[in-house]
Amino acid sequence: MKFRRIAVMMAGMAAIAAPAAEPLAPDYAQGRYWSAVNSLPQGVAPNTALRGVDVFWIHPTTTRSTTDYNHDPLDPTVLKWTEESAVQRQASAFSACCRIFAPRYRAATTKALMDPTRREAAFALAYSDIERAFDWYLAHENKGRPFIIAGHSQGGAHSASLLEKRIKGTALQGQLVAVYIIGINLMDGDLAPRFAGVPLCSEPAQTGCFVQWNSILAESDVAPTLKAYAAAFAAQNGGRVGGSPLCVNPVTFDRRRPVSPAAEAKGAVVGNPGFGAMGPLRAGAVAAECRDGLLIVRPAAELALKPLPGGSMHFHDVGLFWADLSANAALRARTWLKTHKRH
């Protein structure tokens, strides 16, 4: 499996100290290996009006370990952080459009992500769970329904792999509403041959396409990030030049409108990821611009969001645009259902 350099969640995650044997493979016929997404930002009312589309959500790296390369998805400490600080805060953005299927899987830990001798194997094990979960979903729940694939960070990488290996060029592509590949560095060079036939989304209501963004503070020096992205692509593609990173503004979702003022943003989650319920949304609090393939953001101070080193807003790739993502997923779902109306 190809591994592309991604921004890794290095702090605030569940910490594992005791060494353990390789975790058992999840049995996706058991409900305990699926997350129930039942949390919303404070003040947001549940919306179940649109349920004709499914979303298969893949959570990011959530385990900071000094001993293990893949986490046990049912470990109580790991599970609590994964659920409350990742799944509920992120996958919930799709609750207005879709039934959500969020597998608990043996995700690669930060130890694996930082160890080039074990990284590929750890990612391959994690992805094997994702494929089996997706197969179970297709066999038992899909029943021909349209679906969205979405994930952040490590989950974004696995989403990209599902698109490349299981959906592109198959009958499933006809059921695809969109793929939200968030927080990894896809490049122009990935458009072909890797994703040939599945375009980068150009318009907010377009279906059968994928979106991508990486958030970084406006005052940051982006040169090291761009250099690292280019080097990683070349290393994995026989020296081929990858071009620019791909970016779709998650406020406009329109490639003709790469810049959005703060007033246009529908709602960001206040505060850093953590345990417990989400705070309220704040509308009009994030200015954003796709520039040089990165999403340059200017969040309002009242959001109280802490960046990672170098100004990366990786922790907040979803939270900054929670309401915008929610509205866009619903729009694409409605568009697909209208276009493919069954008689």
Side-chain angles (χ1 to χ4, degrees):
M1 166 181 181
K2 288 186 178 181
F3 178 85
R4 185 70 54 79
R5 181 182 180 273
I6 60 176
V8 180
M9 299 175 73
M10 294 298 295
M13 293 178 290
I16 296 178
E22 182 177 290
L24 294 175
D27 175 2
Y28 290 106
Q30 299 181 31
R32 62 181 181 158
Y33 286 108
W34 295 92
S35 296
V37 182
N38 51 23
S39 179
L40 292 170
Q42 183 180 328
V44 175
N47 182 350
T48 60
L50 183 62
R51 281 293 184 274
V53 174
D54 295 336
V55 62
F56 188 85
W57 170 263
I58 310 171
H59 71 72
T61 306
T62 56
T63 309
R64 178 169 45 88
S65 176
T66 59
T67 57
D68 300 316
Y69 293 97
N70 294 84
H71 77 218
D72 176 355
L74 299 184
D75 176 274
T77 302
V78 170
L79 186 57
K80 181 175 176 60
W81 181 263
T82 301
E83 288 292 315
E84 295 183 24
S85 189
V87 175
Q88 304 302 327
R89 294 177 67 92
Q90 295 182 331
S92 59
F94 295 92
S95 61
C97 79
C98 308
R99 297 191 308 171
I100 300 172
F101 294 87
R104 294 168 174 167
Y105 69 105
R106 293 173 294 179
T109 68
T110 57
K111 179 177 176 63
L113 293 172
M114 302 307 293
D115 183 347
T117 68
R118 297 293 295 270
R119 185 186 300 147
E120 295 284 351
F123 248 66
L125 180 66
Y127 178 69
S128 72
D129 284 355
I130 296 303
E131 273 208 346
R132 288 188 303 101
F134 187 61
D135 286 343
W136 189 92
Y137 156 73
L138 289 175
H140 299 279
E141 294 287 347
N142 178 262
K143 297 178 173 46
R145 290 164 57 93
F147 60 85
I148 290 169
I149 302 293
H152 176 243
S153 191
Q154 179 175 169
H158 297 319
S159 297
S161 293
L162 271 183
L163 175 59
E164 177 187 12
K165 298 179 179 182
R166 298 300 309 280
I167 298 169
K168 181 191 74 174
T170 73
L172 289 174
Q173 191 171 337
Q175 297 170 238
L176 181 67
V177 175
V179 186
Y180 292 83
I181 303 171
I182 307 167
I184 66 169
N185 56 303
L186 297 175
M187 310 285 280
D188 286 333
D190 285 305
L191 295 173
R194 189 181 184 194
F195 299 138
V198 184
L200 186 66
C201 298
S202 296
E203 300 177 351
Q206 184 179 353
T207 61
C209 56
F210 72 95
V211 299
Q212 154 74 33
W213 69 85
N214 270 312
S215 307
I216 190 166
L217 288 177
E219 60 268 24
S220 304
D221 178 6
V222 301
T225 298
L226 294 174
K227 182 178 179 180
Y229 286 1
F233 184 93
Q236 294 168 5
N237 290 275
R240 185 162 66 97
V241 175
S244 297
L246 301 176
C247 180
V248 174
N249 184 318
V251 175
T252 69
F253 286 98
D254 189 335
R255 296 191 71 197
R256 297 166 301 183
R257 298 183 58 224
V259 181
S260 57
E264 193 172 347
K266 291 180 172 64
V269 177
V270 175
N272 287 299
F275 292 119
M278 286 178 279
L281 295 178
R282 290 287 187 273
V286 185
E289 175 186 0
C290 281
R291 187 199 309 158
D292 297 324
L294 297 175
L295 185 69
I296 309 301
V297 298
R298 296 176 178 84
E302 68 185 49
L303 293 178
L305 304 178
K306 295 178 182 177
L308 289 171
S312 169
M313 296 298 281
H314 187 65
F315 280 7
H316 315 294
D317 280 326
V318 175
L320 281 167
F321 310 103
W322 192 98
D324 306 274
L325 176 57
S326 180
N328 182 254
L331 173 62
R332 294 188 201 273
R334 288 194 301 269
T335 301
W336 194 100
L337 291 170
K338 182 179 179 180
T339 305
H340 298 78
K341 185 176 292 186
R342 298 172 183 179
H343 301 284

